[in-house]
């Protein structure tokens, strides 16, 4: 059974850092692109970043460029999202999802297939 499980969320002060992990099972990560999304209360789910497979292409939402870094470790079936210089407006539930071999810069959630349960990130002093 295909499954994605996020972890690493928590409470952090503005300017702090967190690293989220997305562990996949039931499929070989090497053949799938993975995206990160977030959903704040009362708002729609929005794309944050994604990473493709063979060429490792990465894309970021403008709001997180220069602050977030996505990476993958296929041997560990894990995709990471390193989040630095966090802002209160980044508070949301963060999700990972798979989208086939390649992902694109639009980060369109409708293109993604399977989703994890999410991990809460709260940025507050």
């Amino acid at each position: 059974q295909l499954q994605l499980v996020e972890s690493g969320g928590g409470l952090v002060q503005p300017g702090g850092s967190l690293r989220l992990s997305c562990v996949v099972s039931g499929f070989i990560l090497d053949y799938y692109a993975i995206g990160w999304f977030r959903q704040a209360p009362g708002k729609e789910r929005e794309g944050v970043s994604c990473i493709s497979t063979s060429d490792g292409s990465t894309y970021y939402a403008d709001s997180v460029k220069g602050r977030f870094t996505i990476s993958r470790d296929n041997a560990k079936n894990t995709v990471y999202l390193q989040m630095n210089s966090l802002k209160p407006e980044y508070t949301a539930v963060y999700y990972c999802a798979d989208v086939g071999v390649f992902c694109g810069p639009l980060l369109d959630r409708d293109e993604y297939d399977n989703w994890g349960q999410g991990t809460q990130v709260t940025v507050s002093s």
Side-chain angles (χ1 to χ4, degrees), residues 1-82:
Q1 182 178 358
L2 195 150
Q3 190 174 17
L4 300 92
V5 179
E6 305 92 337
S7 64
L11 173 64
V12 63
Q13 292 186 344
S17 298
L18 282 174
R19 188 177 79 159
L20 306 184
S21 298
C22 173
V23 178
V24 306
S25 61
F27 62 96
I28 300 174
L29 182 60
D30 303 52
Y31 304 132
Y32 287 85
I34 300 293
W36 283 98
F37 293 76
R38 65 188 179 190
Q39 187 166 17
K43 295 187 177 181
E44 291 189 355
R45 192 170 299 188
E46 62 176 358
V48 174
S49 181
C50 69
I51 184 167
S52 291
T53 54
S54 59
D55 65 356
S57 297
T58 58
Y59 299 97
Y60 298 91
D62 288 342
S63 59
V64 304
K65 282 180 181 177
R67 297 175 184 266
F68 289 11
T69 302
I70 191 170
S71 62
R72 62 194 296 151
D73 185 338
N74 291 342
K76 295 183 178 180
N77 275 356
T78 303
V79 174
Y80 303 99
L81 185 69
Q82 178 66 44

